Amino acid sequence: PQSAFVLAEKAWAGSNLLYKWQKSFGRYIAVAGQDNTVKIFDRRGHKWTEINLPGRCVGMDWDKDGDILAVIAAKSSSIFLWDASVSKTSQIDSGMRDQMSFVLWSKTSPLLAVGTVKGNLLIYNQQTSRKIPVLGKHSKKITCGCWSSQNLLALGSDDNTLSISNHEGDTIRQTTVRGKPAEMYFSVMKTDESSAQGESTVSVSVDKKILMLFNINDPGNQIELAFERHYGNIVSYRWYGDGYILIGFSHGYFVVISTHIREMGYELYRAHNHKDCLNSIAISTAVNKCASCGDNSIIIHELSDRKDISRIIQLHDENKGLDQLSWTDDGQLLALSTQRGTLHVFLTKLPILGDSYGTRLAYLTSLLEVTVCNQVDEESPVTIEVEVEPTFIAVGPCHVAVGMNNRAWFYALADQEPGFNKLKDIEYLGTIASMCLNSDYAAALFEGKVQLHVIEGKDQDEKKQMKLFPGDDRKGRILCHALTANILYYGTDSGSVVSVPVEDCEALSSYSHSVGVRKVFPDVIGTRVVFIDNQNSGFLLSPANSCFELPNFSPTITGVLWDNWHAGRGVFVAYDDDQVYTYALHETTIYGPQVVLVGSTALPFSQKPLLFDNGELTCQTASGRISKVELSTHSFLKHTATNSSTELSRQLAQAVMLKRSAMLETLNRVCSNWAELGKACLVHMEVELAIQVYRMSGNVGMVRSLQRIQGTEEMNLLAGHLAMFLEDYDRAQDLYLSSSSPVAALEVCLRLFSAASLPRWCVLFISSSVCVFSLSQQYSEAAQHYEEGQYYDKAVSAYIRCKNW
């Protein structure tokens, strides 16, 4: 993780900090030190505002939606509420005579629980402003507590008791514990019966030595878990997954236990993460990681494989000791407070935002930084400092656009020095769902419409050239769009795939699909389009070859990338979170145009493909970097002489399916699979290559046969000849009949009869009869003749019906 920012206010020096991330959004962090204020910072580290208090802050918490921050302070009976939406602070008189010590919002409703040093309780309803005071809930200071999803409130007190109350403050359970309680959580124990009971288990750390599990439905059956003494005291613990608990101990140990009834207390994992001490632990389910801090380092583990240490952050300057760790809900930022009064914030996960145009990439490398590069053309990376945390990025040949909500910022590639200059920012008429660029135009999708406009130009020119699609609301809402060098493509909820030349903005063509079209992906030059419909099926639309449904198309596919390599035209990949599927369009085969699934490749965790070039994917990672993934379907590009014959045969099949003629001869010399390669060349109508293959294999007859048809220009006639060589007579019959020389189908007929071992006079008779009857157009008589003579064949009947003979 990279450092996002460090907060070190003079007023905090030498004291531990109390801080809370805003729930849900994580846009703000509230921090309190020894001074009488709570300071609010945004996620860039900029101070937003501060709340002045009559005394030091002793507790604070954000409500479930992150809208309201509740703060309690020493020397005050008021509850301070800061509204994040309007940045205003209000006060509520708690009515409590004694000092408040504990504050916590409900997880599911606008209820705020406030406890005092004398054990009293107040439940405040933010929505109705109703206050419910509960005197004598405990006899001493309320120190900890938690809400359940069913709005039950558990509280712990220095009087060594644990209470369970409903949302009205009525006590429904109470039990005595063997020491002072701390850090309480409601959870679901990993038992077969508990799932229907909801969060019925309260866990509590007792005297920092015992972890007690209290089932509110079975209060007499408490479970107490003790641990090895050399671990030290329990510093902190967290529930996660299906009934697992992660516990950090003061002597640096990091332990995971199970609460399944048959595994109760069993240690699933143990590590001595920190040599001298451990100060805090944190878990983020959003990034599936856990972290511990101690000594002067943070160690981050993968939750799926706790032995996998993904990051170690060293803080050599922090010699006073570390304090508390806390993650934002989205897992993007991890905060660490120290005992000298500083707050470090690290970026642990970036939104995976990126785009490509040709071989140029633009991707988010920090919350306010976009990197643009072109590794294929070996251009040096350039970084752009942007003004907001973007929710989208678009790149073109000469520009980059970033933005959020209804606003976009445009940057142009500098003419003199490498870099980008800010051009302008534009506000659109709705929240931008996506944006595409080409060399001159930007196309923004918002609220079912696409606005097309020039990127650089005078205001009058921009307004004059601006166009909104669709022009008629009756044509449906636009769900997706893409922009090539010359054409704007968009798909609608009514099932239309429309292509529009950007220069004259008149619809070039429109394809009507049966259901809505939610994603479109044109190829590099814009002549073919892959689209995904609302039923998660994939199709390839080609002006010359109509529309093909993609075979074995996974319903989880989220994106498509076309190959940028000049020899890879017609090859593309479709990807989801786990797999990349390689497809190839075969426009010329004896069976007509086809789309084939070549194979699949596993995609590393949390990586998004941005660019496909010659068998290599460039992906963006959550850490703000790019990585390379070599597709298994292109392993023939890196063949070696040491590969097994099975592997070489597989590579040969890949090269055939991807129509890499240049690789076929090389692979074939090594693997010598002549028969398969020869057949593949015939199927794909690669006559010249087939001649070379059969010449190398010594098949003189096939070479001569192929040389006789080598100059054939008519595709159906050529395909018919090749089908004959492959002994696919039914296909040859159809191809000959649709060609300009259907009489060639007679050869198929004669071969079929010869194969049936008929006497020679029968074959000659049939041959002459077919010609006579066909030339005189006596089709029905000829058919009857063959039927009566019991020499009738379905193929012959088709031939003699052909009126073109």
Side-chain angles (χ1 to χ4, degrees):
Q2 54 183 278
S3 176
F5 57 88
V6 178
L7 301 177
E9 298 275 325
K10 290 183 179 179
W12 299 343
S15 67
N16 289 15
L17 300 177
L18 176 63
Y19 70 94
K20 293 281 185 177
W21 282 111
Q22 182 190 30
K23 290 178 186 173
S24 183
F25 305 110
R27 293 175 185 161
Y28 300 108
I29 185 168
V31 189
Q34 62 187 354
D35 61 333
N36 298 345
T37 64
V38 172
K39 295 178 174 62
I40 313 289
F41 299 86
D42 64 19
R43 54 194 287 131
R44 297 159 61 181
H46 296 160
K47 185 176 174 181
W48 193 257
T49 188
E50 66 179 52
I51 305 169
N52 293 308
L53 305 172
R56 181 171 181 174
C57 172
V58 294
M60 58 182 169
D61 192 38
W62 293 89
D63 73 344
K64 64 183 179 65
D65 298 318
D67 294 330
I68 306 293
L69 175 70
V71 179
I72 55 175
K75 304 176 183 177
S76 175
S77 61
S78 293
I79 303 168
F80 298 84
L81 301 177
W82 184 72
D83 189 330
S85 61
V86 293
S87 192
K88 297 281 185 174
T89 305
S90 58
Q91 295 183 38
I92 298 166
D93 186 4
S94 67
M96 298 291 190
R97 301 274 180 105
D98 51 328
Q99 175 64 55
M100 291 176 286
S101 59
F102 170 81
V103 61
L104 188 69
W105 285 99
S106 165
K107 294 193 291 187
T108 58
S109 60
L111 297 178
L112 180 68
V114 181
T116 74
V117 295
K118 292 186 178 180
N120 298 317
L121 171 68
L122 173 71
I123 295 179
Y124 171 71
N125 189 317
Q126 166 69 11
Q127 196 167 21
T128 64
S129 299
R130 182 188 178 199
K131 301 174 192 173
I132 304 176
V134 183
L135 301 179
K137 175 63 69 173
H138 289 272
S139 60
K140 291 185 178 179
K141 179 182 180 180
I142 294 175
T143 57
C144 57
C146 57
W147 286 93
S148 76
S149 298
Q150 291 77 36
N151 263 346
L152 295 179
L153 175 63
L155 295 173
S157 167
D158 281 349
D159 61 5
N160 294 357
T161 61
L162 167 69
S163 67
I164 311 292
S165 308
N166 62 20
H167 68 283
E168 296 281 338
D170 303 322
T171 302
I172 58 175
R173 292 282 187 275
Q174 188 159 338
T175 187
T176 302
V177 294
R178 296 191 297 164
K180 291 185 177 181
E183 199 169 14
M184 303 172 64
Y185 299 105
F186 268 102
S187 191
V188 179
M189 282 181 59
K190 192 179 176 185
T191 60
D192 299 333
E193 300 81 14
S194 63
S195 57
Q197 301 173 1
E199 294 181 335
S200 58
T201 299
V202 178
S203 61
V204 58
S205 168
V206 179
D207 241 9
K208 298 185 179 181
K209 302 206 180 313
I210 296 172
L211 188 63
M212 191 188 87
L213 305 178
F214 177 73
N215 190 332
I216 61 176
N217 297 317
D218 187 11
N221 187 19
Q222 299 178 12
I223 298 172
E224 294 186 350
L225 302 175
F227 303 91
E228 297 183 35
R229 296 184 66 180
H230 70 272
Y231 289 175
N233 292 332
I234 297 174
V235 172
S236 184
Y237 71 95
R238 296 288 187 276
W239 289 79
Y240 76 96
D242 189 15
Y244 300 113
I245 303 178
L246 170 68
I247 312 170
F249 293 91
S250 60
H251 290 172
Y253 286 89
F254 177 89
V255 176
V256 176
I257 65 170
S258 170
T259 62
H260 193 283
I261 197 67
R262 291 183 291 272
E263 303 174 339
M264 182 61 65
Y266 179 73
E267 290 187 7
L268 303 176
Y269 176 76
R270 177 180 63 186
H272 197 183
N273 266 6
H274 306 278
K275 181 180 177 181
D276 296 325
C277 70
L278 182 147
N279 300 97
S280 180
I281 62 169
I283 278 181
S284 172
T285 55
V287 293
N288 203 37
K289 297 181 189 295
C290 55
S292 65
C293 70
D295 301 334
N296 59 353
S297 67
I298 302 172
I299 298 180
I300 300 176
H301 292 255
E302 296 288 342
L303 277 178
S304 54
D305 182 3
R306 292 170 292 270
K307 295 179 182 179
D308 181 8
I309 297 178
S310 61
R311 294 286 188 275
I312 298 178
I313 307 171
Q314 297 288 347
L315 295 102
H316 299 292
D317 296 335
E318 295 294 347
N319 51 14
K320 297 290 185 182
L322 309 181
D323 195 14
Q324 297 297 311
L325 279 173
S326 180
W327 245 302
T328 54
D329 286 353
D330 60 11
Q332 290 185 10
L333 296 172
L334 175 65
L336 169 68
S337 60
T338 71
Q339 295 180 29
R340 67 170 180 155
T342 58
L343 186 76
H344 296 262
V345 177
F346 300 93
L347 186 62
T348 57
K349 175 194 172 186
L350 271 172
I352 301 183
L353 292 179
D355 190 29
S356 64
Y357 188 95
T359 54
R360 172 166 287 173
L361 301 175
Y363 56 98
L364 197 65
T365 46
S366 184
L367 291 177
L368 296 171
E369 180 185 85
V370 174
T371 295
V372 183
C373 68
N374 190 333
Q375 293 184 332
V376 176
D377 293 343
E378 298 181 346
E379 294 180 5
S380 299
V382 176
T383 59
I384 307 171
E385 297 294 331
V386 296
E387 299 180 22
V388 294
E389 284 185 47
T391 56
F392 67 85
I393 293 174
V395 64
C398 308
H399 305 89
V400 172
V402 301
M404 64 179 298
N405 299 330
N406 69 330
R407 197 172 174 187
W409 287 258
F410 291 86
Y411 300 84
L413 182 63
D415 294 331
Q416 304 298 326
E417 299 178 3
F420 282 81
N421 297 324
K422 181 184 172 184
L423 283 176
K424 59 186 174 183
D425 58 278
I426 297 177
E427 289 190 8
Y428 296 85
L429 299 176
T431 300
I432 302 168
S434 59
M435 177 171 282
C436 304
L437 307 181
N438 65 14
S439 57
D440 300 310
Y441 290 87
L445 171 63
F446 54 87
E447 297 183 1
K449 294 184 179 295
V450 167
Q451 181 175 318
L452 180 71
H453 63 88
V454 292
I455 300 173
E456 295 189 57
K458 297 179 180 179
D459 293 340
Q460 293 179 349
D461 294 337
E462 288 184 18
K463 292 178 181 179
K464 186 177 180 181
Q465 297 184 46
M466 188 183 72
K467 183 74 174 179
L468 203 62
F469 301 94
D472 188 344
D473 290 339
R474 291 174 295 180
K475 294 181 180 179
R477 290 173 54 86
I478 296 178
L479 302 180
C480 55
H481 78 306
L483 193 60
T484 68
N486 301 303
I487 299 175
L488 167 68
Y489 286 91
Y490 63 82
T492 70
D493 58 359
S494 61
S496 295
V497 179
V498 182
S499 57
V500 181
V502 294
E503 291 300 332
D504 58 14
C505 292
E506 294 296 330
L508 177 66
S509 65
S510 178
Y511 172 78
S512 294
H513 190 58
S514 55
V515 296
V517 175
R518 64 182 182 86
K519 296 216 174 159
V520 289
F521 307 95
D523 67 359
V524 178
I525 57 178
T527 57
R528 307 182 188 100
V529 182
V530 171
F531 67 86
I532 303 174
D533 65 17
N534 284 336
Q535 295 178 350
N536 297 323
S537 297
F539 298 85
L540 174 61
L541 183 62
S542 174
N545 303 313
S546 191
C547 189
F548 304 94
E549 184 168 4
L550 302 183
N552 305 111
F553 193 79
S554 171
T556 58
I557 295 296
T558 56
V560 170
L561 292 171
W562 289 85
D563 197 347
N564 279 279
W565 183 248
H566 65 86
R569 299 293 188 250
V571 178
F572 59 92
V573 293
Y575 58 87
D576 56 19
D577 292 339
D578 304 310
Q579 293 285 325
V580 180
Y581 304 89
T582 304
Y583 287 89
L585 170 64
H586 296 165
E587 290 189 295
T588 53
T589 76
I590 64 170
Y591 303 106
Q594 293 180 327
V595 179
V596 297
L597 174 61
V598 182
S600 63
T601 306
L603 189 64
F605 175 73
S606 191
Q607 295 198 14
K608 178 189 174 183
L610 287 181
L611 174 66
F612 175 31
D613 185 77
N614 196 24
E616 189 174 70
L617 275 185
T618 302
C619 300
Q620 183 183 4
T621 70
S623 60
R625 296 180 175 87
I626 56 175
S627 66
K628 303 288 187 180
V629 176
E630 294 181 355
L631 298 182
S632 61
T633 52
H634 288 66
S635 60
F636 62 87
L637 296 172
K638 297 186 185 304
H639 74 279
T640 62
T642 58
N643 286 345
S644 65
S645 59
T646 303
E647 175 62 18
L648 287 168
S649 295
R650 187 180 71 85
Q651 292 180 352
L652 183 66
Q654 290 174 352
V656 168
M657 284 192 285
L658 293 170
K659 300 194 72 176
R660 291 296 186 92
S661 301
M663 297 297 301
L664 294 177
E665 290 183 65
T666 305
L667 288 167
N668 198 66
R669 288 193 185 97
V670 180
C671 117
S672 301
N673 197 344
W674 304 108
E676 289 301 318
L677 181 57
K679 286 182 180 179
C681 292
L682 297 181
V683 169
H684 292 92
M685 303 176 69
E686 297 276 0
V687 177
E688 293 183 4
L689 183 59
I691 290 172
Q692 296 178 34
V693 170
Y694 284 114
R695 181 179 287 126
M696 292 170 70
S697 66
N699 191 334
V700 178
M702 184 62 80
V703 171
R704 288 180 177 175
S705 297
L706 287 169
Q707 286 175 336
R708 283 198 297 270
I709 67 169
Q710 189 172 6
T712 305
E713 294 183 359
E714 187 184 345
M715 297 303 292
N716 282 341
L717 187 58
L718 177 61
H721 294 325
L722 297 175
M724 286 289 290
F725 297 157
L726 290 167
E727 298 182 352
D728 188 345
Y729 300 119
D730 287 340
R731 183 61 184 162
Q733 156 194 309
D734 295 336
L735 288 165
Y736 281 142
L737 288 173
S738 60
S739 74
S740 61
S741 301
V743 72
L746 179 59
E747 183 181 348
V748 181
C749 167
L750 295 179
R751 285 202 181 190
L752 291 174
F753 284 123
S754 298
S757 301
L758 294 176
R760 180 173 177 76
W761 67 267
C762 289
V763 175
L764 292 173
F765 174 73
I766 292 167
S767 176
S768 60
S769 298
V770 168
C771 291
V772 170
F773 284 126
S774 299
L775 291 172
S776 61
Q777 298 185 357
Q778 297 178 6
Y779 310 117
S780 59
E781 186 179 343
Q784 183 179 358
H785 173 81
Y786 290 120
E787 289 173 349
E788 291 173 354
Q790 296 184 356
Y791 301 127
Y792 174 76
D793 183 86
K794 180 172 61 176
V796 177
S797 177
Y799 304 148
I800 64 177
R801 285 198 302 270
C802 180
K803 298 181 181 181
N804 292 327
W805 282 4

